[in-house]
Amino acid sequence: MVEFLRFRDDEVSESPAVTVDAFGEQSNAGAVRIEPGDDARELLPHLAHIARVEVNFPVFGDGRGYSAARILREAGYEGEIRAVGDVAVDQLAYMRRCGFDAFEPEKAMNEADVKTALERWEEVYQKTVDGRTPIWALRHG
Amino acid sequence: MYKYDNYDQQMVDTRVEEFRDQTRRRLSGELSEEKFRPLRLMNGLYLQLHAYMLRVAVPYGTLSGAQMKALGDIADKYDRGYGHFTTRQNIQYNWIKLEDAPEILADLAKVEMHAIQTSGNCIRNISSDHFAGAAADELVDPRPYAELLRQWSSFHPEFSYLPRKFKIAVIAADTDRAAMRLHDIGIQIVKNDAGEIGCAFYVGGGMGRTPMVAPCINEFVPLDDLITYSEACLRVYNRHGRRDNKYKARIKILVHEMGKDEYTRQVEEEFAHLKSQGIEPPLAELERIKPYFADPAFKSGLSDEIDRTDTDFALWVDRNTVVHKAPGYVSAVISLKPVGGIPGDASADQIRLMGELATDYSFDECRVTHTQNIVLPHVEKARLKDLFDILDANGLSSPNLDTIEDIIACPGLDYCSLANARSIPVAQKISERFSGSGKTAELGELKLKISGCINACGHHHAGHIGILGVDRKGVENYQLLLGGSEAEDTSLGKITGPGFSEDGIVDAVEKAADVYIANREDGERFLDTYRRIGMDPFKEAIYG
């Protein structure tokens, strides 16, 4: 079973994650946790100092975290973005597309299912932040 | 018609395999119903009162003959021999087994069809003008733009867990045949003063329990910003739309509470940012799509004469055919509203027949209308009588387009687990009453729409006459609304007063119709008379 999944070569940051509010008062913290109602853009001036951003999904149906991750990547953030909470194998592919590169689900995932889910989509329709070439670009060289 | 290339086919095939795997995990118990629910919903599979319902996408309402025939085959093979065409130009099957669903999706994929995102809190099937490519009044064919949006919105990684469902309609004529301003985003393809083609964006319309007409937030978005601007509209909604109350979660509430100006400001800001991200397909992609929607090879020099000797045929021509841009052709509408029937239902045999007729009479194309009828868009006038005879022999020749018998109704409490009241029996009784009394013809255009609950799938807010089924202390009760319109003169109906029993509502509709007949001036439709004389005379007749 998979309890933690990471697509990075650098060392895992051990800094405890602070809330976005706490980070606002004490911006030397190395890790931040974004809740669904937080504005990811508040972190933009400080991205160079943040090793890890955790994006919490209290319930998988609340999709605000997808926008949060993508906004951070669009702003050039290169640190770890970790999805935590109610994250399941069926959400992995879209989360990868939005810039998540680490997963710490509250319920462990089946290893074979994870592999299938991550390898399933050979092509994609949209350009996002994962560097994949969308179908429209393939069509027009 | 659009044809899949290898990429499109691969995407749909991959989805079939993904759903097959998810269904396997559900059936084995690995996935709970709670976790499976959003996954099956994003493949159009609902759990209803008696069985699963599968909703199949008909992108912008357009189908080939072969696709239509395949829909008939599915009705036979996996359902009870019926299909139900919906107000979003899709088709639903009401008696589906969970274990069959992956097979149905595989059958659909063989004819370039799918059920992707036909439910769930994601971007739904893109709807459009059912006379696209045939209408004399359109600026361009809106469907290439709808297809571009279809591909962009399919499997969108950021917008698959939105606060609520999200519906987009695209039109390209001033006459609105798609209820564009009652969508989450309505796009009208327009031409600016410089002669360039672009998109007017209307955002925040919708029906449901809080009906709203979408305001225009941008009168001209250039074509090569269409996707980027849509993405900006969606991102502001995904981030700020309400998630605390599902009844306040649609984008109309956000636009209303935030205010149109502030919402627009945020969209423009997000748009300016996204412009730097290079997410817009090149215009070459639109140019690649356009030829699929080029005019078929219309014959020239055709006569516009129609032999009207057969009076039944002549009546059907007058009621159910619509002017076409090419001389010698019409668009013919097949009514799925036989007197006493279930609005939008067709048997497997009828569906297959309509597919054959599309191939033989209409350049291999048919359309589903949001009013739950089928259009053969390009029929030679000289061949109309032959077509009519075949339709007539198969129970498909009801001459009642846009009349009080052409009722929109949701499935209601007969099928739907959300409903408070039945819709279908009310529709049946009304069409029987007016057909029997012969008043249908006298009333002319009168759009009647019935919803079995406040969610408004039957568009009751937008009916010239609307009926809303509610539950009053365990008894079905029906409210009457007057004055709605889903056309370019969009308006929302107003409730007349206390509700009625099932038979009482039929009487009330008849009284309202009589007020119109007694008060109308030359050339006025029901809606025009209502707008001129107001609610009071109707109230007096109904409750007096």
Side-chain angles (χ1 to χ4, degrees), chain B residues 399-411:
Chain B
N400 55 15
L401 181 68
D402 292 338
T403 69
I404 196 165
E405 294 173 26
D406 186 8
I407 297 167
I408 289 186
C410 70

Side-chain angles (χ1 to χ4, degrees), chain B residues 49-351:
Chain B
L49 283 178
H50 313 290
Y52 280 98
M53 177 273 275
L54 180 72
R55 181 182 295 148
V56 174
V58 181
Y60 31 89
T62 297
L63 289 163
S64 70
Q67 289 176 326
M68 191 72 161
K69 279 195 264 184
L71 294 177
D73 290 342
I74 287 170
D76 260 344
K77 199 168 158 190
Y78 302 104
D79 195 272
R80 297 185 176 176
Y82 279 89
H84 178 76
F85 291 95
T86 78
T87 55
R88 290 213 74 252
Q89 301 179 288
N90 293 323
I91 184 169
Q92 293 178 183
Y93 300 102
N94 282 316
W95 301 96
I96 296 299
K97 293 189 192 73
L98 174 58
E99 50 271 37
D100 285 342
E103 286 314 313
I104 303 175
L105 298 187
D107 284 4
L108 288 168
K110 285 180 199 150
V111 289
E112 302 182 9
M113 293 187 75
H114 59 73
I116 296 161
Q117 293 168 210
T118 53
S119 64
N121 294 335
C122 51
I123 304 172
R124 303 289 188 88
N125 185 42
I126 314 286
S127 59
S128 187
D129 185 337
H130 47 251
F131 293 133
D137 62 351
E138 75 184 5
L139 177 65
V140 289
D141 191 323
R143 292 173 300 169
Y145 310 94
E147 173 59 26
L148 192 73
L149 287 161
R150 182 191 74 84
Q151 295 187 27
W152 161 74
S153 60
S154 295
F155 319 111
H156 198 293
E158 187 178 338
F159 306 134
S160 291
Y161 296 94
L162 295 167
R164 199 76 177 81
K165 58 188 169 184
F166 204 92
K167 300 174 180 179
I168 301 176
V170 186
I171 66 171
D174 286 335
T175 302
D176 182 1
R177 290 171 284 259
M180 182 270 286
R181 294 187 69 187
L182 295 168
H183 283 74
D184 296 284
I185 292 181
I187 294 171
Q188 183 176 353
I189 309 297
V190 293
K191 192 182 260 186
N192 67 7
D193 294 340
E196 298 156 333
I197 303 285
C199 315
F201 268 70
Y202 294 80
V203 182
M207 294 195 239
R209 61 187 66 203
T210 319
M212 300 213 185
V213 178
C216 183
I217 69 156
N218 192 321
E219 286 175 7
F220 192 85
V221 174
L223 273 190
D224 54 358
D225 288 328
L226 169 58
I227 295 303
T228 310
Y229 203 83
S230 302
E231 190 122 345
C233 291
L234 263 297
R235 179 174 284 177
V236 174
Y237 170 56
N238 189 45
R239 299 186 75 211
H240 301 297
R242 284 181 63 174
R243 292 176 188 260
D244 59 323
N245 178 343
K246 97 179 236 204
Y247 301 115
K248 296 188 185 300
R250 294 288 289 270
I251 194 174
K252 61 192 174 190
I253 304 293
L254 176 70
V255 173
H256 180 72
E257 289 183 352
M258 190 181 252
K260 176 199 132 187
D261 292 345
E262 174 58 15
Y263 173 76
T264 307
R265 189 193 66 75
Q266 293 198 19
V267 168
E268 293 290 336
E269 197 174 279
E270 196 69 60
F271 172 63
H273 158 68
L274 286 169
K275 284 279 276 179
S276 70
Q277 295 294 315
I279 60 172
E280 187 77 27
L283 281 177
E285 176 61 3
L286 203 49
E287 295 306 317
R288 182 191 73 85
I289 294 170
K290 275 186 191 167
Y292 290 112
F293 298 96
D295 281 348
F298 295 128
K299 293 183 202 164
S300 55
L302 292 182
S303 161
D304 278 316
E305 285 297 305
I306 293 173
D307 179 352
R308 300 173 58 92
T309 322
D310 178 338
T311 52
D312 287 346
F313 170 63
L315 177 66
W316 180 81
V317 169
D318 291 343
R319 288 261 181 80
N320 287 39
T321 67
V322 176
V323 64
H324 193 283
K325 66 182 181 184
Y329 288 87
V330 287
S331 296
V333 183
I334 302 172
S335 167
L336 298 182
K337 316 290 174 64
V339 172
I342 298 176
D345 264 23
S347 71
D349 287 337
Q350 287 176 326
I351 297 170

